[in-house]
Amino acid sequence: MFSLKLIVFIAACIPLIWTVSLGFFFGHCPNPIQKCLYGSGEWALVFLLFSLAVTPIRKFTQLELLRQYRRLFGLFSFFYASLHLIIYISFEQFFDWQLIYEDIVQHRRIMIGVISYLIILLLALTSSPSAIRWLGTKRWRILHRLVYPAAIGAVLHYLWLVKLDTSKPKLYGIILFILLSWRIISLARQKIAINRSIR
Ligand code: HEM
C-alpha cells in the first residue's frame, strides 16, 4: 500500500517537471515564466478537483483505500497554488508590494484567487491528524467544507482572466458543479436517514 502511495506521489510531481521542462528547456517557449505561472495555477485547480472527486469515487467503487488520497491531493493543490503565488510575486511583480496590493484591490479575478488561496492555506494547515484531534471531528468537517468555496473561487479566477477561449474554465466549472451537486444530494440523504431513525 505504501508503494502505491509513493507512485501517486511521484505522479503528482510530474506536472511540475513537465511544465518546467517545456517552459525552459524543450518547448521553445517565448515566455517560460508565464508558462510556469499558468501551469502551476491549472494544476492547483486540477488537484483541488481530484481531492473533491475522491469521496464520490470511493462511494461508487467501495474502494476504501482511496480515502488516504484526498489529503494527498489537497496538499498537492496547496503546493501548486503556493508555487503559483511565488511565481506571481517574484517574477510577475518583482516583489513590488504596492503594485501587488493595487492588482488585488483593482481586479476581481486576482482578489478571488487570493481568497481561494487563503482558504486552501487554512485547509492545508488544519489537515493533519493532530489538527483534527485539536478541532474535534465535527468542527473539522464543517471547516473543511470550505474546500467548495475555494474551488468555486478558483474556477471564477480562471474564468475571469481568460480573454478568448473560455472552454477550459467552463469544463472545470461543469466538473465542480457535478461534484458539488453530488455532495449536496448525499448530505440531504444523510439528514433524511437521521430524521427517520430518530422518529
Ligand atoms: C494567491 C493568489 C493568486 C494570485 C495572485 C494569482 C494570480 C494569477 C495570475 C496573475 C494569473 C495569470 C493571469 C493573466 O495572465 O491574465 C493566474 C492564472 C491562473 N491561476 Fe491564479 N492566482 C492566485 C491563486 C490561484 C489559485 C488558488 C488557483 C487554483 C486553485 C489559481 C489558478 C489559476 C489558473 C487555472 C490560471 C490560468 C492558467 C491558464 O491560463 O492556463 N490561481 N493567476
Side-chain angles (χ1 to χ4, degrees):
M1 222 42 68
F2 170 75
S3 58
L4 183 62
K5 209 168 179 182
L6 188 67
I7 291 167
V8 174
F9 186 91
I10 294 169
C13 294
I14 291 173
L16 175 69
I17 301 163
W18 178 254
T19 310
V20 173
S21 344
L22 270 189
F24 286 93
F25 306 112
F26 310 114
H28 308 291
C29 184
N31 193 341
I33 296 297
Q34 200 180 52
K35 175 115 193 127
C36 292
L37 178 72
Y38 287 6
S40 54
E42 189 158 1
W43 281 99
L45 176 57
V46 168
F47 277 106
L48 202 58
L49 295 176
F50 277 176
S51 76
L52 291 177
V54 166
T55 307
I57 294 174
R58 178 172 61 83
K59 294 254 162 98
F60 278 123
T61 58
Q62 307 284 325
L63 276 174
E64 274 311 305
L65 68 99
L66 289 179
R67 190 184 283 271
Q68 56 186 317
Y69 295 104
R70 201 173 58 169
R71 178 168 178 238
L72 187 71
F73 290 147
L75 288 176
F76 265 101
S77 172
F78 170 63
F79 168 71
Y80 281 105
S82 301
L83 199 66
H84 185 62
L85 178 63
I86 292 168
I87 296 170
Y88 168 79
I89 293 176
S90 52
F91 295 105
E92 278 261 314
Q93 306 290 21
F94 302 103
F95 298 99
D96 186 333
W97 301 107
Q98 180 64 29
L99 214 65
I100 292 172
Y101 173 76
E102 281 166 13
D103 203 19
I104 294 171
V105 293
Q106 282 170 13
H107 302 114
R108 63 176 186 167
R109 60 179 190 274
I110 301 295
M111 172 76 87
I112 196 100
V114 172
I115 294 170
S116 280
Y117 180 75
L118 291 177
I119 297 176
I120 294 169
L121 172 69
L122 179 71
L123 299 184
L125 290 176
T126 57
S127 69
S128 64
S130 58
I132 302 174
R133 274 196 300 276
W134 180 65
L135 283 165
T137 317
K138 205 177 164 194
R139 251 181 292 174
W140 184 86
R141 277 215 183 110
I142 293 169
L143 179 72
H144 276 250
R145 279 186 199 147
L146 284 176
V147 66
Y148 289 98
I152 293 170
V155 169
L156 286 178
H157 170 67
Y158 195 177
L159 191 65
W160 287 340
L161 62 83
V162 287
K163 273 127 203 147
L164 297 169
D165 185 7
T166 54
S167 56
K168 255 185 167 185
K170 280 181 182 159
L171 176 69
Y172 289 129
I174 292 168
I175 294 170
L176 178 60
F177 177 76
I178 295 167
L179 293 170
L180 191 57
S181 309
W182 179 87
R183 186 76 192 128
I184 292 168
I185 293 168
S186 71
L187 271 179
R189 275 193 184 154
Q190 261 174 30
K191 281 224 167 104
I192 293 168
I194 291 169
N195 286 344
R196 275 195 191 141
S197 67
I198 291 171
R199 270 194 250 133

